[in-house]
């Protein structure tokens, strides 16, 4: 058949003789049984056989192999979903002994590897198909071998059973790339063996399960790994098991639990990221996977992973240098392992919080990092492309001779074959492209995992002799060494610092000099240093936060910047160290979220929390609130947003949180008692008939840092009707319990603090009134019984969460109440007397001090003027009830003729100036007061307007 030699003229000339010889050998061995190869197969054959002498050799050795693949059509189509299982079952039918099992598996494997390599090299299969095919081939071979060996072992020695009395097979965990369906062409497979329940067989020797399963596992390894005349199935590596080579081959779940909770080494966490039960007792295997999750993914942000991955990489690099193997596409600089380390770093640091990162496949992890904004889109795209390129190179290296190699070849012919298979005319062209990809990967790796740090840099001494410390401070650029020395002495003498672990001390030595260096560059170095030392003392018991700051220079810079500007921010981070995570990305730190973005982010954070886990819910809500208040504060002190937007953002945040809390409270209450008549049971998050009304600062969109929430709860419905649940209550009781649960979720003091302090005294009848009022009763109260001060409060009230129909009814009641005709002098007297009482009680009471809120000419004077204007004019100008915030109400009052446009403009300016100073005071943790001379002109004119309107 030599006259039918496939066209080889497209091959490099030096590769043609090898393909010509292989074709001749195949024709000779196949003889008259040689199949007529379809044109597409024939056309692809030279490139495939030149790139893979392994494929050519398998076809020559077993000519029928190629016939089977051609006749079945499987060479030109993708594998079906369950194809391996069916083909293996067919091949193993009638096989009842170990030698037969081994021979069948090896022949099956070789045929399938020829198919996989051919499709890959010919360009008929994308990379993901190739990796999945090899992985599933290994998985099904292990499954089939184990099933056969387990049957034989049970027949010979008895059947082990679990605690439920059911037959109990071995659990086989696939690790590494096998666990992630990413197996390379000639990879070994990393396996761990376990069994769920311990016990003894009912044989004469009372064989222990450990002995039974150990023998079974050894046989399985031999069947898969041993080299026979047919080769091997897959090389098996069991060194990832507990204690490695020195540990038992098989362990019970109880023994594994003890090991991973108390003795496991840190690198074993990385190995477990991809662990997957793939053979044997899969139900028990899923239990084992779930048990391993907390070991792999810590509940806190674990930045130690960066240092540990960096150390592991350092050891790998040192070993490669020692063996002169830098040209290794897996372990060398910019290789596959660096991409995996980048993904694993984020997984191990953040996987405890971000369940979307608990993913075995590195390509999916990279995509998720981009979606979450944890890495720049350009870096993600670079790594994704590099990963696919390097894995393709890796497969070509291994397909050449079915060798487990990652080193670039040195033989000229092999180099040319691989370069040609990868689309290059020569080795130099391929090597240049490969080097370019690796350089890009290594640059990103250094930035993410290595942090661009010089680990060998000398660390200035900040303990010991004062003279030596002063010299170190000077070296770090800190001028006021005399002022800093006692601060550092007191800091190192605190209980938290004296009790640091060895690791904590090491991290403190790394981070403290950098913080001092950055503090020295601020406007008030000594004050900034004092704040930073207090913060470090507060978080020192958790090494992970020191590591975060040591590993992230940008985060350190942001921390110093914010601490220098505001002690409030420093104290917030000290109380809630998780906020340090917000410092990692300045792009988001200084850009508070919009109302819609807040809703999306909160929904994302809460998506993974179980309905029956209120503690986790409360912690997540608090962390969400704290992170977003920090964003507002950071943008505020940097001047990125104006005052009015600060209050808007804080108000939007509170509304978002209250809405979410209300929906969760509704769901919890409805689960226990059912829902009121007319509510939608198919909409568990829709609080039908219930509304939350915000008064005060939230109602007026004027929320500040640390403001509490003035809330009123209303419901619409028949209070005596019954809910439809297993434990029904009256509708009135249902809404009362809903209100109590809502307040509980808001105000409970958890390890993450309080969500919001709430004030409910503005409800009808105040503290003695019902927690949740029926809306009809609320209307009656407002129209017939409400005091003047309650009508003043209603000016700022607005619906913020719940059933919009309740919100519409509240809006109508509010408008009717505010638009009543009132006796003007009586109204003026009531408001003036209330203002005088507040001023006498809450004002500064000092001639040289001005309380911005309560003293004459301050914030409350302006607010009371606005409230008087609305209550006195709304009957003639209903538009005065449209807004709840002072600024827009002043504009409306000018239009209504209550104040002149000039006075309205002045009052708006003064009000904003006062509130801006109040925000500044909050961030500086000082009282909202100023020297009496500072706002003298503003106070004088406000008093003048007050006197003209309120006294006459």
């Amino acid at each position: 058949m030599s006259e039918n030699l496939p066209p080889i003229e497209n091959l490099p000339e030096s590769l043609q003789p090898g393909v010509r010889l292989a074709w001749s050998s195949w024709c000779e061995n196949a003889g008259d049984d040689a199949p007529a190869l379809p044109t597409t197969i024939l056309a692809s054959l030279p490139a495939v056989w030149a790139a893979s002498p392994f494929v050519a050799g398998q076809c020559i050795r077993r000519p029928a192999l190629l016939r089977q693949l051609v006749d079945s059509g499987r060479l030109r189509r993708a594998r079906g979903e369950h194809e391996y299982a069916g083909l293996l079952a067919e091949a193993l039918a009638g096989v009842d002994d170990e030698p037969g099992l081994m021979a069948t598996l090896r022949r099956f494997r070789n045929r399938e590897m020829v198919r996989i390599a051919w499709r890959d090299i010919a360009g008929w299969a994308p990379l993901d198909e190739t990796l999945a095919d090899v992985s599933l081939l290994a998985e099904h071979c292990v499954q089939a071998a184990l099933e056969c060996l387990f049957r034989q072992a049970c027949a010979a020695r008895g059947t082990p059973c679990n605690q439920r009395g059911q037959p109990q097979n071995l659990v086989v965990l696939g690790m590494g790339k096998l666990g992630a369906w990413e197996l390379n062409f000639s990879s070994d497979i990393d396996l761990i063996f376990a069994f769920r329940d311990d016990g003894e067989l009912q044989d004469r020797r009372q064989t222990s399960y450990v002995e039974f399963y150990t023998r079974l596992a050894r046989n399985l390894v031999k069947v898969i790994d041993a080299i026979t005349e047919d080769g091997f199935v897959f090389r098996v590596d069991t060194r990832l098991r507990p204690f490695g080579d020195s540990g038992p081959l098989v362990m019970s779940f109880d023994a594994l639990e003890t090991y991973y909770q108390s003795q496991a080494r840190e690198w074993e966490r990385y190995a477990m990221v991809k662990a997957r039960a793939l053979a044997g007792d899969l139900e028990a295997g899923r239990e084992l996977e779930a048990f391993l999750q907390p070991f792999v993914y810590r509940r806190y942000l674990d930045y130690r992973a960066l240092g540990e991955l960096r150390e592991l990489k350092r050891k790998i690099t040192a070993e490669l240098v020692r063996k002169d193997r830098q040209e290794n596409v897996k372990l060398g600089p910019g290789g596959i392992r660096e991409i995996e380390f980048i993904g694993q770093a984020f997984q191990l640091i953040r996987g405890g919080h971000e369940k979307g990162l608990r993913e075995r496949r590195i390509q999916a992890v990279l995509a998720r990092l981009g979606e979450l904004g944890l890495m720049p889109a350009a870096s993600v795209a670079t790594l994704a492309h590099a990963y696919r390129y390097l894995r393709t190179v890796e497969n070509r290296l291994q397909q050449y001779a079915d060798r487990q190699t990652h080193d670039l070849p040195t033989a000229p012919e092999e180099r040319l074959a691989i370069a040609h298979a990868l689309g290059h005319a020569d080795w130099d062209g391929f090597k240049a492209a490969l080097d370019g990809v690796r350089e890009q990967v290594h640059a990103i790796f250094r930035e993410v995992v290595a942090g661009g740090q010089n680990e060998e840099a000398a660390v200035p001494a900040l303990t010991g002799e004062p003279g030596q410390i002063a010299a170190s401070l000077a070296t770090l650029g800190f001028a006021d060494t005399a002022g800093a020395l006692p601060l550092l002495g007191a800091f190192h003498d605190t209980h938290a610092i004296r009790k640091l672990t060895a690791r904590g001390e090491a991290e403190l030595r790394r981070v403290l000099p950098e913080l001092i260096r950055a503090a020295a560059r601020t406007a008030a170095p000594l004050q900034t240093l004092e704040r930073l030392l207090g913060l470090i003392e507060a978080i020192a018991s958790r090494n992970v936060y020191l590591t975060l700051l040591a590993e992230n220079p940008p985060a350190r810079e942001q921390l110093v910047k914010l601490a220098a500007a505001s002690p409030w921010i420093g104290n917030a981070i000290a109380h809630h160290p998780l906020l340090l995570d917000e410092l990692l990305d300045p792009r988001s730190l200084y850009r508070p979220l919009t109302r819609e973005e807040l809703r999306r982010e909160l929904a994302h954070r809460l998506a993974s929390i179980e309905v029956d886990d209120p503690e986790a819910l409360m912690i997540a809500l608090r962390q969400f609130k704290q992170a977003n208040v920090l964003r507002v504060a950071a943008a505020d002190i940097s001047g990125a947003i104006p005052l009015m937007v600060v209050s808007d953002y804080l108000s939007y945040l509170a509304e978002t949180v209250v809405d979410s809390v209300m929906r969760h409270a509704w769901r919890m209450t409805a689960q226990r008692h059912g829902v009121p008549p007319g509510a939608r049971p198919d909409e568990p998050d829709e609080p039908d008939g219930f509304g939350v009304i915000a008064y005060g600062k939230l109602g007026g969109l004027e929320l500040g840092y640390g403001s509490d929430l003035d809330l009123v709860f209303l419901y619409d419905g028949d209070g005596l009707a019954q809910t439809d649940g297993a434990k029904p209550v009256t509708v009135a009781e249902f809404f009362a319990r809903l209100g109590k649960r809502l307040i509980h979720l808001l105000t409970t003091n958890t390890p993450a603090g309080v969500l919001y302090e709430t004030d409910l005294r503005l409800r009808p009848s105040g503290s003695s009134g019902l927690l949740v009022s029926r809306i009809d009763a609320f209307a009656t109260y407002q129209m017939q019984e409400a005091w003047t001060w309650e009508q003043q409060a209603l000016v700022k009230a607005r619906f913020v969460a719940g059933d919009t129909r309740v919100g519409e009814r509240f809006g109508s009641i509010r408008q009717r109440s505010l638009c009543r005709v009132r006796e003007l002098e009586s109204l003026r007297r009531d408001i003036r007397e209330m203002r005088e009482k507040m001023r006498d009680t809450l004002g500064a009471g000092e001639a040289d001090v001005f309380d911005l809120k309560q003293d004459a000419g301050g914030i409350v004077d302006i607010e009371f003027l606005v409230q008087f204007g609305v209550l006195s004019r709304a009957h003639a100008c209903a538009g005065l009830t449209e807004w709840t915030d002072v600024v827009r109400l002043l504009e409306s009052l000018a239009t209504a003729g209550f104040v002149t446009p000039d006075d309205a403009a002045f009052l708006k300016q003064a009000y904003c100036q006062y509130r801006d100073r109040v925000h500044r005071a909050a961030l500086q943790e000082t009282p909202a007061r100023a020297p009496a001379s500072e706002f003298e002109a503003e106070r004088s004119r406000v008093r003048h307007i007050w006197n003209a309107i309120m006294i006459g």
Side-chain angles (χ1 to χ4, degrees):
M1 292 186 63
S2 60
E3 65 275 10
N4 295 324
L5 179 69
I8 62 173
E9 59 273 7
N10 290 330
L11 290 178
E13 188 174 347
S14 62
L15 298 180
Q16 294 179 14
V19 174
R20 189 178 289 110
L21 178 61
W23 175 257
S24 177
S25 298
W26 180 75
C27 291
E28 182 179 346
N29 283 3
D32 294 338
D33 291 331
L37 300 180
T39 303
T40 52
I41 305 296
L42 201 61
S44 65
L45 186 146
V48 173
W49 283 17
S52 179
F54 160 74
V55 170
Q58 288 295 320
C59 291
I60 292 167
R61 185 179 180 196
R62 292 175 56 208
L65 180 153
L66 188 54
R67 172 186 287 278
Q68 292 169 355
L69 291 175
V70 169
D71 291 348
S72 66
R74 295 182 62 242
L75 202 55
R76 287 292 288 134
R77 64 171 172 81
R79 167 191 49 79
E81 184 178 357
H82 303 295
E83 193 165 310
Y84 279 151
L87 291 171
L88 258 176
E90 181 182 333
L92 290 170
V95 174
D96 57 4
D97 60 9
E98 201 169 282
L101 174 65
M102 294 174 69
T104 302
L105 287 175
R106 280 154 179 75
R107 289 169 188 162
F108 181 83
R109 179 263 184 193
N110 289 336
R111 183 186 72 193
E112 293 307 311
M113 291 298 264
V114 166
R115 173 187 169 276
I116 293 168
W118 199 306
R119 286 180 53 75
D120 186 28
I121 297 168
W124 300 338
L127 174 68
D128 290 346
E129 178 188 316
T130 300
L131 301 181
D133 276 4
V134 178
S135 303
L136 289 170
L137 173 61
E139 181 175 329
H140 282 283
C141 286
V142 171
Q143 287 175 353
L146 179 59
E147 288 172 10
C148 181
L149 294 172
F150 183 64
R151 284 196 305 270
Q152 294 173 2
C154 291
R157 292 180 287 279
T159 302
C161 294
N162 60 25
Q163 292 179 351
R164 298 189 294 270
Q166 301 164 329
Q168 173 181 267
N169 202 343
L170 194 65
V171 174
V172 181
L173 282 183
M175 310 294 288
K177 291 185 172 65
L178 174 58
W181 300 280
E182 297 169 341
L183 214 57
N184 43 284
F185 184 79
S186 191
S187 175
D188 59 6
I189 56 176
D190 296 293
L191 303 179
I192 290 179
F193 304 114
F195 61 96
R196 188 181 189 280
D197 298 325
D198 209 347
E200 295 179 344
L201 295 176
Q202 300 302 308
D203 60 354
R204 288 179 300 173
R205 296 178 55 244
Q206 293 186 309
T207 303
S208 69
Y209 283 5
V210 171
E211 182 180 345
F212 175 90
Y213 289 120
T214 299
R215 186 178 301 174
L216 175 62
R218 283 180 181 148
N219 284 347
L220 177 62
V221 171
K222 181 182 72 172
V223 164
I224 299 295
D225 180 87
I227 298 176
T228 71
E229 62 180 8
D230 295 304
F232 59 91
V233 185
F234 283 90
R235 304 173 190 87
V236 178
D237 191 336
T238 61
R239 291 175 296 175
L240 292 181
R241 69 186 188 269
F243 304 108
D245 278 340
S246 62
L249 184 61
V250 182
M251 295 177 72
S252 70
F253 282 14
D254 286 344
L256 284 175
E257 180 175 2
T258 300
Y259 176 81
Y260 285 115
Q261 285 184 350
S262 60
Q263 295 175 274
R265 292 151 292 183
E266 199 62 33
W267 65 262
E268 290 177 279
R269 288 181 62 205
Y270 321 144
M272 284 296 172
V273 165
K274 297 178 184 288
R276 175 172 63 92
L278 55 81
D281 190 341
L282 295 180
E283 181 180 351
R286 284 187 287 273
E287 292 180 31
L288 184 56
E289 289 177 19
F291 156 72
L292 290 170
Q293 286 278 304
F295 167 67
V296 178
Y297 299 109
R298 305 289 163 80
R299 295 184 66 178
Y300 50 85
L301 293 169
D302 190 4
Y303 280 91
R304 292 177 303 176
L306 285 173
E308 288 149 358
L309 284 169
R310 186 163 55 244
E311 177 62 16
L312 184 56
K313 174 62 179 174
R314 186 192 64 76
K315 291 178 180 177
I316 292 171
T317 301
E319 183 68 8
L320 291 176
V321 170
R322 186 180 69 82
K323 294 183 177 181
D324 193 22
R325 291 178 56 198
Q326 286 288 84
E327 296 290 16
N328 185 296
V329 299
K330 177 182 179 181
L331 302 177
I336 296 166
R337 181 55 54 84
E338 287 193 355
I339 300 175
E340 292 174 334
F341 274 7
I342 291 168
Q344 285 181 328
F346 283 102
Q347 286 183 282
L348 295 177
I349 290 168
R350 296 175 175 274
H353 283 263
E354 182 55 62
K355 290 190 176 181
L357 290 175
R358 299 179 189 181
E359 169 64 61
R360 297 181 178 93
R361 300 163 298 162
I362 184 60
Q363 293 185 86
V365 172
L366 293 174
R368 189 66 178 144
L369 292 175
E371 292 168 6
L372 294 172
L374 295 175
M375 284 188 70
S379 296
V380 170
T382 296
L383 292 177
H385 172 265
Y387 180 79
R388 301 177 70 80
Y389 180 81
L390 292 170
R391 291 305 307 273
T392 302
V393 171
E394 176 187 47
N395 276 341
R396 293 296 181 276
L397 293 176
Q398 297 183 353
Q399 287 161 349
Y400 187 82
D402 194 18
R403 293 195 314 266
Q404 186 187 10
T405 181
H406 299 89
D407 293 323
L408 297 180
T410 56
E413 185 174 325
E414 186 176 348
R415 282 185 163 188
L416 181 59
I418 288 170
H420 181 264
L422 289 163
H424 293 273
D426 54 37
W427 178 257
D428 290 342
F430 158 68
K431 186 61 165 55
L434 174 64
D435 289 346
V437 169
R438 292 176 63 183
E439 286 169 8
Q440 289 180 313
V441 171
H442 192 57
I444 298 174
F445 173 80
R446 282 190 54 78
E447 183 65 29
V448 174
V449 177
Q453 300 178 51
N454 179 6
E455 297 291 338
E456 305 302 321
V459 178
L462 294 170
T463 57
E465 293 297 322
Q468 185 179 17
I469 300 173
S472 296
L473 287 168
T475 300
L476 294 168
F478 206 93
D480 189 358
T481 57
L485 281 173
L487 292 180
L488 283 170
F491 169 75
H492 281 109
D493 199 42
T494 59
H495 177 79
I497 302 305
R498 285 189 287 106
K499 294 297 183 181
L500 280 175
T501 63
R503 179 168 191 136
E505 289 180 356
E507 298 294 6
L508 182 63
R509 283 195 299 272
R510 291 174 64 198
V511 76
L512 187 55
E514 298 304 323
L515 291 175
I516 293 173
R517 194 192 311 274
R521 295 193 293 266
T522 63
L526 202 61
Q527 182 185 65
T528 303
L529 177 60
E530 185 174 13
R531 293 172 182 175
L532 289 170
L533 292 177
L535 189 152
I536 295 299
E537 179 188 346
I539 67 174
S541 61
R542 296 290 295 273
N543 296 342
V544 64
Y545 297 123
L546 298 178
T547 304
L548 183 155
L549 293 173
E551 295 286 352
N552 294 277
R556 284 199 307 271
E557 291 174 14
Q558 299 308 321
L559 177 63
V560 174
K561 177 180 177 180
L562 295 175
S566 166
W568 182 89
I569 292 180
N571 287 332
I573 295 173
H575 284 101
H576 308 293
L578 275 174
L579 290 175
L580 286 168
D581 187 47
E582 299 299 319
L583 307 180
L584 296 174
D585 187 357
R587 296 169 301 175
S588 63
L589 175 63
Y590 295 99
R591 191 190 70 81
L593 300 180
T594 64
R595 193 195 301 258
E596 187 53 40
E597 288 170 335
L598 285 167
R599 288 174 180 163
R600 286 200 300 268
E601 182 180 298
L602 182 55
H604 172 73
R605 287 200 183 207
L606 301 183
S608 60
I609 293 177
E610 301 295 333
V611 178
D612 57 353
D613 192 352
E615 181 181 357
L617 170 67
M618 288 192 286
I619 290 174
L621 284 165
R622 283 151 179 76
Q623 291 172 350
F624 169 79
K625 182 230 179 175
Q626 292 153 7
N628 282 286
V629 170
L630 177 64
R631 289 177 180 174
V632 175
D636 184 7
I637 65 173
S638 69
I641 55 177
L643 162 71
M644 298 306 295
V645 179
V646 171
S647 292
D648 285 349
Y649 277 126
L650 292 173
S651 299
Y652 298 157
L653 174 59
E655 289 176 40
T656 302
V657 168
V658 168
D659 180 74
S660 180
V661 167
M662 177 203 56
R663 292 175 184 276
H664 281 86
W666 172 276
R667 185 191 303 161
M668 294 172 184
T669 309
Q671 278 186 334
R672 184 172 181 83
H673 301 295
V675 296
R680 292 163 288 179
D682 57 330
E683 296 285 349
D685 293 335
E686 293 300 327
D688 289 310
F690 184 78
V692 180
I693 312 302
Y695 281 69
K697 290 184 175 65
L698 178 56
L701 289 166
E702 297 160 352
L703 217 59
Y705 303 107
S707 294
D708 59 8
L709 306 183
D710 295 294
L711 302 177
V712 168
F713 304 140
L714 301 177
Y715 80 90
D716 189 10
D718 180 359
L720 298 178
Q722 296 277 315
T723 60
D724 63 359
K727 296 181 179 180
V729 293
T730 66
V731 168
E733 178 65 17
F734 173 88
F735 285 117
R737 295 189 180 197
L738 170 61
K740 289 178 182 176
R741 193 178 295 273
L742 197 160
I743 294 300
H744 173 75
L745 292 173
L746 285 172
T747 62
T748 297
N749 196 355
T750 72
V754 170
L755 192 52
Y756 283 101
E757 297 289 356
T758 60
D759 191 337
L760 308 176
R761 290 174 294 177
L762 288 174
R763 67 186 187 268
S765 302
S767 298
S768 62
L770 296 173
L771 178 64
V772 184
S773 300
R774 190 165 177 239
I775 197 163
D776 292 335
F778 176 81
T780 300
Y781 182 86
Q782 290 297 330
M783 298 300 295
Q784 299 178 11
E785 303 176 45
W787 295 78
T788 299
W789 65 266
E790 292 176 292
Q791 291 291 293
Q792 289 178 250
L794 196 62
V795 171
K796 281 191 170 186
R798 64 189 177 91
F799 170 81
V800 292
D803 188 337
T804 55
R805 294 168 297 183
V806 174
E808 290 168 0
R809 286 203 61 191
F810 166 76
S812 176
I813 293 166
R814 175 179 177 271
Q815 184 175 30
R816 282 191 289 119
S817 182
L818 294 180
C819 289
R820 283 180 290 165
V821 177
R822 305 170 196 273
E823 202 286 309
L824 198 59
E825 287 308 315
S826 175
L827 174 66
R828 181 181 280 115
R829 184 180 61 252
D830 287 349
I831 292 178
R832 189 173 61 237
E833 289 176 355
M834 174 63 72
R835 180 69 193 102
E836 289 168 356
K837 288 179 183 178
M838 291 176 65
R839 190 181 300 136
D840 292 342
T841 304
L842 302 173
E846 302 174 34
D848 58 346
V849 175
F850 171 43
D851 187 295
L852 290 110
K853 295 181 180 179
Q854 296 295 343
D855 277 345
I859 289 174
V860 179
D861 276 0
I862 299 174
E863 290 178 336
F864 272 42
L865 280 170
V866 168
Q867 291 160 10
F868 174 70
V870 172
L871 294 176
S872 64
R873 295 292 183 95
H875 68 280
C877 183
L880 290 174
T881 65
E882 182 178 359
W883 308 112
T884 60
D885 61 289
V886 167
V887 170
R888 283 184 291 195
L889 282 172
L890 280 167
E891 295 170 357
S892 299
L893 287 168
T895 302
F898 176 75
V899 290
T900 67
D902 185 54
D903 282 347
F906 163 74
L907 290 172
K908 281 195 299 180
Q909 182 182 11
Y911 186 72
C912 290
Q913 283 181 304
Y914 291 158
R915 285 186 52 211
D916 183 59
R917 177 59 70 87
V918 170
H919 282 315
R920 298 280 83 74
L923 291 175
Q924 295 302 323
E925 296 188 333
T926 58
R929 294 181 174 184
S933 59
E934 186 170 350
F935 291 100
E936 192 170 354
E938 289 83 0
R939 293 180 66 192
S940 176
R941 187 168 174 184
V942 171
R943 287 199 302 267
H944 175 76
I945 297 172
W946 172 272
N947 290 337
I949 294 174
M950 301 304 297
I951 297 176

